Amino acid sequence: MAKISEMTQLSPTMSEGVLVKWLKKKGDSVGPGEILAEVETDKAVMEMEAFDSGVLLEIIAPEGAKLPVGAPVAIIGKAGEDITALLAEAKSRSTANVSTPAPVSSPSPAPSSIKKPDPETVAAAPSPSIEVEEPTPRESSVSRGLSSSALEGRIKASPLAKRLAEESGLDLSRVRGSGPDGRILKRDIENGISSAGISSSPFASANIQEEKLPISGMRKTIASRLVHSKTHQPHFYLDMEIDAEPLVHLRENFNSDLKESGEEIKLSLNDFIIRASALALLKVPEVNSSWREDHILKHGRVDIGVAVSIEGGLITPYVRNADKRSVLEIGKTVKELASRARERKLKPEEFSDGTFTVSNLGMFGIDRFAAVINEPEAAILAIGNVVSKPVVKNGAVVPGKTLSVCLSCDHRVVDGAVGAGWLEVFRNFLEHPLRLLA
């Protein structure tokens, strides 16, 4: 008996997906576990499997369609089977569900017997021999409600003329309008600028237009999760400055040794930071916890997320059991996860259910910042740039390198003293980085 195949929930946070590509075509035989199509979820492009055996009798959802979980996408059954009723059912269900990107339309112009050009287009094009500018709908309606005496003290000018006058610093009251009823037009402003010897703004003719950008599934999920986190998790922030010179030197020597031994990988400071975070979580396990409404769950594992910027948003793959991995293992794992994250090829289990997150913006030149906690974790560590500046050592001012970090904490789980204790342990590891190689 034929059945309707539906959009499958391919990740824990997925509520809708975009059908990127059909891998089966109408008439193909399919079986349970075979890949029907590729679907873009809120986090990655994933494979949607078939759950029934038979023939792909009909493809309901076209490529590019955005559908909620549970929406009909295809019909699978026996060859030659009558699916008229199922098609009708699928059509009625999909009418309200399927959405495809639609072009953004501009507001309709006011009715007029004269076709008038877009003011922005006029500004960007060479001056035409004839200029047509008419009152905006708002101006027309206001004017109709005013007496002639009330209009006498009001400067009448087209929106474009007003904008050009403002940008050039020209006083509209000194400009004589050549339009209907003395209305000031673009050409009047240009003549006024020329007469007054005012230099026209280089941006006056810029064709800058408003644009409505579609919201991707990933951006919707990011927005929803971050709003929920900031609303429901009482954040507080702890800043600390760390002597980064020992860590910088160790990394340089470590990478030099790796190069001589033939290793192709080059470790980043973030790899050492992840290792230090994992070891600090072992020593202060209260930070490696989550709020569970009726209890606090102290995790029996250390899975550290690494915030990775990808096209359209942000994703956090996790280094599992980071406390049991060497710095070199962490470096290789992070590089591989980040690469697949940018290709949208991560599996759901690779970017969910972590215990702590590190977000590093140092490579973008950011000295310090505070991050939003990745719920349901209880803390996130924000890493800034290594800064070269004078520091005091042994009572003397000497050149040094510092690293600013900020620990965002969920106050329901982590108190100030606990968070400060974790940061102190973390700092000791970074300022004595050979301990990270043990």
Side-chain angles (χ1 to χ4, degrees):
M1 181 178 177
K3 294 182 179 179
I4 295 177
S5 293
E6 300 176 341
M7 173 64 75
T8 310
Q9 184 175 28
L10 301 173
S11 74
T13 58
M14 175 183 170
S15 59
E16 61 183 12
V18 177
L19 208 154
V20 177
K21 182 179 180 181
W22 278 102
L23 300 181
K24 294 284 188 179
K25 61 181 183 293
K26 186 176 178 180
D28 286 352
S29 297
V30 297
E34 289 190 47
I35 308 303
L36 286 176
E38 292 180 347
V39 174
E40 181 181 359
T41 71
D42 55 336
K43 295 291 186 181
V45 175
M46 307 182 70
E47 296 174 334
M48 184 175 68
E49 299 179 358
F51 294 97
D52 302 298
S53 297
V55 174
L56 186 57
L57 299 176
E58 190 64 47
I59 291 177
I60 298 169
E63 293 181 353
K66 182 186 290 185
L67 308 101
V69 171
V73 295
I75 296 177
I76 296 175
K78 295 180 180 179
E81 191 171 354
D82 183 9
I83 58 172
T84 305
L86 288 179
L87 281 173
E89 177 188 343
K91 184 177 181 180
S92 63
R93 288 172 56 187
S94 61
T95 299
N97 289 332
V98 180
S99 65
T100 53
V104 179
S105 58
S106 301
S108 299
S112 173
S113 59
I114 302 176
K115 183 178 181 181
K116 52 186 181 290
D118 178 13
E120 297 290 0
T121 305
V122 172
S127 298
S129 57
I130 298 177
E131 179 184 9
V132 180
E133 296 187 67
E134 294 189 2
T136 61
R138 177 176 174 81
E139 288 178 318
S140 299
S141 61
V142 172
S143 298
R144 284 194 297 268
L146 295 175
S147 64
S148 59
S149 59
L151 288 171
E152 287 176 358
R154 179 167 159 260
I155 299 174
K156 292 182 287 185
S158 72
L160 177 58
K162 290 179 180 178
R163 179 167 65 82
L164 292 178
E166 182 179 356
E167 291 174 348
S168 61
L170 186 65
D171 187 353
L172 278 175
S173 65
R174 297 179 179 272
V175 179
R176 185 180 183 86
S178 62
D181 298 323
R183 182 178 175 80
I184 300 172
L185 304 178
K186 171 176 173 280
R187 61 172 174 263
D188 301 322
I189 298 298
E190 292 174 339
N191 292 335
I193 291 174
S194 177
S195 300
I198 301 174
S199 297
S200 180
S201 167
F203 303 107
S205 297
N207 188 18
I208 302 174
Q209 297 180 347
E210 289 186 357
E211 183 181 4
K212 292 182 180 180
L213 303 176
I215 301 175
S216 66
M218 173 177 285
R219 181 54 59 188
K220 282 184 180 179
T221 298
I222 291 173
S224 175
R225 288 176 61 84
L226 293 184
V227 168
H228 193 274
S229 175
K230 286 290 286 186
T231 303
H232 292 83
Q233 290 185 284
H235 285 56
F236 74 94
Y237 309 95
L238 299 172
D239 294 326
M240 180 175 279
E241 190 172 82
I242 296 171
D243 179 7
E245 199 157 27
L247 178 61
V248 170
H249 289 159
L250 176 64
R251 175 191 174 241
E252 290 174 351
N253 293 333
F254 200 97
N255 281 333
S256 179
D257 291 343
L258 287 175
K259 186 175 181 180
E260 289 181 6
S261 64
E263 288 277 1
E264 294 182 1
I265 189 171
K266 185 177 182 180
L267 297 182
S268 68
L269 287 177
N270 210 48
D271 299 327
F272 291 88
I273 288 168
I274 293 171
R275 170 71 172 162
S277 299
L279 297 180
L281 290 171
L282 289 181
K283 291 185 174 291
V284 188
E286 293 84 356
V287 178
N288 195 48
S289 304
S290 295
W291 179 261
R292 289 291 190 266
E293 298 303 335
D294 60 343
H295 67 279
I296 293 174
L297 176 63
K298 188 182 294 184
H299 296 289
R301 53 193 168 84
V302 178
D303 296 339
I304 296 185
V306 184
V308 177
S309 177
I310 63 175
E311 184 179 356
L314 188 74
I315 194 168
T316 307
Y318 286 92
V319 179
R320 303 296 180 186
N321 301 310
D323 57 311
K324 297 179 173 63
R325 295 174 182 259
S326 67
V327 176
L328 183 58
E329 288 177 312
I330 289 173
K332 291 179 177 179
T333 301
V334 170
K335 185 176 181 180
E336 192 266 338
L337 286 172
S339 176
R340 287 197 292 112
R342 295 186 181 100
E343 295 173 357
R344 309 293 289 270
K345 292 183 178 179
L346 289 177
K347 299 175 182 177
E349 59 269 22
E350 293 176 315
F351 55 80
S352 59
D353 195 26
T355 67
F356 186 85
T357 295
V358 172
S359 181
N360 192 332
L361 290 178
M363 67 285 292
F364 298 106
I366 301 300
D367 290 342
R368 65 175 67 219
F369 71 103
V372 180
I373 298 171
N374 193 11
E375 197 176 21
E377 298 162 22
I380 183 171
L381 183 66
I383 307 294
N385 190 26
V386 173
V387 178
S388 297
K389 68 178 186 178
V391 297
V392 178
K393 288 188 178 180
N394 301 320
V397 178
V398 297
K401 296 181 184 297
T402 62
L403 178 69
S404 292
V405 302
C406 177
L407 185 69
S408 303
C409 304
D410 182 344
H411 216 325
R412 298 173 302 176
V413 180
V414 179
D415 292 329
V418 173
W422 185 91
L423 275 177
E424 183 60 32
V425 173
F426 174 76
R427 176 168 64 181
N428 284 334
F429 275 119
L430 290 194
E431 293 185 347
H432 304 87
L434 285 174
R435 298 177 184 176
L436 301 175
L437 304 182

